Amino acid sequence: MSDSNSTRKKHRKKVKRSNWLVYFCYISLLLAAIAGNYLQHNDQSRVIFDYFGSSVQQAAGDSPWAYIMQQANKTYPIITAKGNGYGGPLSVSVKIDEKSRKIVEVDLLQHKDTPAYIARLERKHFLRQFKGKALNSDFLVDIDIDGISGATYSTKGINLAVRDAAHQVASQLDMPKPWQARPFNFSIKDVVLTLVIIAAIFSKKVPRQYRKGYDLVMSVVVVATMGFWLNSSLSLNAFGSLFLGYLPDWHSHPGWYILMSSVLASLLFMGRNIYCNQLCPFYIIQQWLNKLSGLNFSPAKRLLDNAKFGVNLLLWLSLILIFLSRTPAITSFEPFAMMFSLEGVGIQWYILPLALIGSAVMNNFWCRLFCPVGRLLNHSLEIRSKAKNKLLRAKRIRVKAV
């Protein structure tokens, strides 16, 4: 009997320590978010002077322009604008020829986007396309401006910033306004994404005798579409942008809102994590590799418990860095995008081979031991389950009282 009481006491102490650790994590994340917001500097003048140096000057007080540049005995007005890329806000400068009323040059002054996407834009000389464009042009991606495959969010974020700035100046100069209102871009990709999500949500309704075939078809479709075609794997970058309010323009990126709202709604209303086991193409790739190898290393329970603590720690540290720096891309270590685009930066070149080799040896290697997104989604389910149980207990207590 005494051994039983001793075991209960140890268990209660362990639960109490665990609860205090959870409270500490929540409080520290809140403080990091407050500190990051307080320390953030939005001095646009400093940004533009750091970028251009002494060649740019503050315009006179009665000038309609904020900045001017003297170049080859000619004065060019410069205006700045902001947009949102995949990993957060970005700012651009637009140099204007006031006489011809055209864009002379566009520069990316500052960004918090994923470095690999910005590097792709630079390789493709994306910003050169704006040179010579009339200020009242439409600036429509894939019509007036060529989009860059694999960097869609960055492409559209920069384009929208330039578009808004150019149209503002065109209005000041009383130019004709032939441009369209910002179009709602619901493409075939968004249709396919929606259909795949619906298929995942209703997979539980498929009769048991057809479930195996249905799951096989779904896995191939998810890898082909959400992996290689759309490259729409959810990363901690996306959730960091959501937490910080760095939301992409809904006119240009309805697919982001469709995927994110579907995943969050399934957690809240269905109590299901439809993403990790059904919509994550990297999870499916791991499954295939493990089946091909025929290996299945089963780690000890203690190792799995330690791994859970490790991924919790990794998630906490990543979120702390995101909130303090207000830069979601600072945690771009996950191998998802690199797996399907074959482009990555820094540590991703080492993590992807490690994840693939590990998956061949142990089922769901990355998901079980390292994935912060999976841990974040599953932790949300745990919170929902605890809240639901408390509500049910409170309801039972009220019924008994009556």
Side-chain angles (χ1 to χ4, degrees):
M1 192 73 174
S2 59
D3 290 341
S4 171
N5 290 333
S6 175
T7 302
R8 289 196 196 98
K9 287 181 180 179
K10 287 181 179 179
H11 177 70
R12 281 197 295 268
K13 286 182 179 179
K14 186 177 180 180
V15 170
K16 191 174 182 180
R17 283 197 301 269
S18 177
N19 288 337
W20 276 110
L21 185 60
V22 170
Y23 296 147
F24 166 77
C25 289
Y26 289 152
I27 293 170
S28 61
L29 288 172
L30 177 61
L31 293 176
I34 294 171
N37 187 61
Y38 177 77
L39 295 172
Q40 184 184 24
H41 297 290
N42 289 318
D43 188 352
Q44 194 64 39
S45 297
R46 181 178 176 182
V47 172
I48 197 168
F49 290 138
D50 286 345
Y51 188 88
F52 287 109
S54 59
S55 60
V56 168
Q57 300 174 359
Q58 196 93 33
D62 58 345
S63 173
W65 321 112
Y67 310 96
I68 57 173
M69 174 183 284
Q70 297 288 339
Q71 195 173 42
N73 297 323
K74 192 170 182 179
T75 300
Y76 294 101
I78 291 182
I79 57 174
T80 59
K82 293 184 178 181
N84 271 327
Y86 180 74
L90 49 86
S91 60
V92 299
S93 67
V94 183
K95 187 195 297 184
I96 299 164
D97 187 329
E98 194 173 358
K99 185 177 180 180
S100 66
R101 301 187 176 187
K102 292 182 179 180
I103 293 175
V104 176
E105 188 177 41
V106 172
D107 289 285
L108 180 60
L109 299 176
Q110 193 179 51
H111 72 88
K112 294 189 175 182
D113 215 334
T114 305
Y117 298 151
I118 299 301
R120 177 174 287 196
L121 296 185
E122 291 172 348
R123 286 197 303 273
K124 301 289 185 178
H125 306 294
F126 173 71
L127 297 179
R128 290 185 186 177
Q129 300 182 73
F130 295 100
K131 185 176 181 179
K133 291 284 185 185
L135 295 172
N136 60 354
S137 298
D138 248 334
F139 297 101
L140 298 178
V141 175
D142 296 329
I143 298 176
D144 304 304
I145 300 294
D146 292 333
I148 304 298
S149 177
T152 307
Y153 288 86
S154 306
T155 298
K156 292 183 177 179
I158 292 174
N159 183 70
L160 283 176
V162 175
R163 185 180 198 263
D164 291 344
H167 289 173
Q168 179 184 347
V169 176
S171 299
Q172 290 177 352
L173 297 175
D174 294 324
M175 294 177 68
K177 301 178 181 179
W179 60 79
Q180 303 177 33
R182 187 177 292 182
F184 180 62
N185 184 22
F186 193 80
S187 66
I188 185 63
K189 291 184 176 182
D190 301 309
V191 173
V192 171
L193 175 63
T194 304
L195 292 176
V196 171
I197 292 172
I198 292 173
I201 291 173
F202 288 98
S203 62
K204 298 293 185 183
K205 302 294 184 181
V206 175
R208 186 173 297 177
Q209 63 268 30
Y210 304 119
R211 182 73 59 80
K212 188 174 181 180
Y214 186 87
D215 290 343
L216 177 60
V217 172
M218 271 293 294
S219 65
V220 173
V221 169
V222 166
V223 171
T225 58
M226 298 190 65
F228 290 103
W229 187 36
L230 303 176
N231 198 3
S232 58
S233 299
L234 283 181
S235 67
L236 198 56
N237 192 332
F239 285 99
S241 297
L242 178 66
F243 296 150
L244 294 175
Y246 297 158
L247 305 180
D249 179 70
W250 66 272
H251 296 84
S252 305
H253 302 288
W256 188 92
Y257 289 90
I258 292 169
L259 178 58
M260 189 66 76
S261 61
S262 299
V263 170
L264 296 179
S266 69
L267 291 173
L268 182 61
F269 299 111
M270 300 167 58
R272 283 175 58 191
N273 177 2
I274 64 167
Y275 180 75
C276 284
N277 296 330
Q278 293 174 282
L279 294 176
C280 176
F282 196 74
Y283 165 81
I284 297 170
I285 293 291
Q286 290 181 94
Q287 293 279 303
W288 290 352
L289 284 173
N290 191 253
K291 288 180 180 179
L292 283 172
S293 70
L295 302 174
N296 193 7
F297 170 71
S298 298
K301 184 179 182 301
R302 185 174 180 179
L303 176 60
L304 290 177
D305 291 341
N306 290 334
K308 185 177 180 180
F309 176 81
V311 75
N312 281 335
L313 180 62
L314 181 62
L315 173 61
W316 175 76
L317 285 173
S318 298
L319 290 176
I320 286 287
L321 288 173
I322 287 173
F323 289 147
L324 285 175
S325 66
R326 298 189 67 81
T327 306
I330 200 172
T331 60
S332 296
F333 64 90
E334 296 149 305
F336 315 136
M338 183 180 173
M339 172 71 204
F340 300 105
S341 69
L342 300 179
E343 290 191 11
V345 292
I347 197 172
Q348 290 177 329
W349 288 101
Y350 303 98
I351 289 180
L352 178 59
L354 173 66
L356 295 178
I357 294 170
S359 300
V361 176
M362 186 175 82
N363 193 28
N364 298 334
F365 173 78
W366 175 263
C367 300
R368 296 167 75 180
L369 302 183
F370 298 105
C371 184
V373 170
R375 187 67 205 116
L376 178 64
L377 295 176
N378 289 330
H379 183 63
S380 301
L381 282 180
E382 292 166 5
I383 293 174
R384 179 188 183 278
S385 178
K386 289 179 181 178
K388 184 178 179 180
N389 290 336
K390 286 183 178 180
L391 288 173
L392 290 175
R393 282 199 298 269
K395 186 176 181 179
R396 285 197 293 267
I397 290 171
R398 286 198 299 270
V399 170
K400 287 181 180 179
V402 173

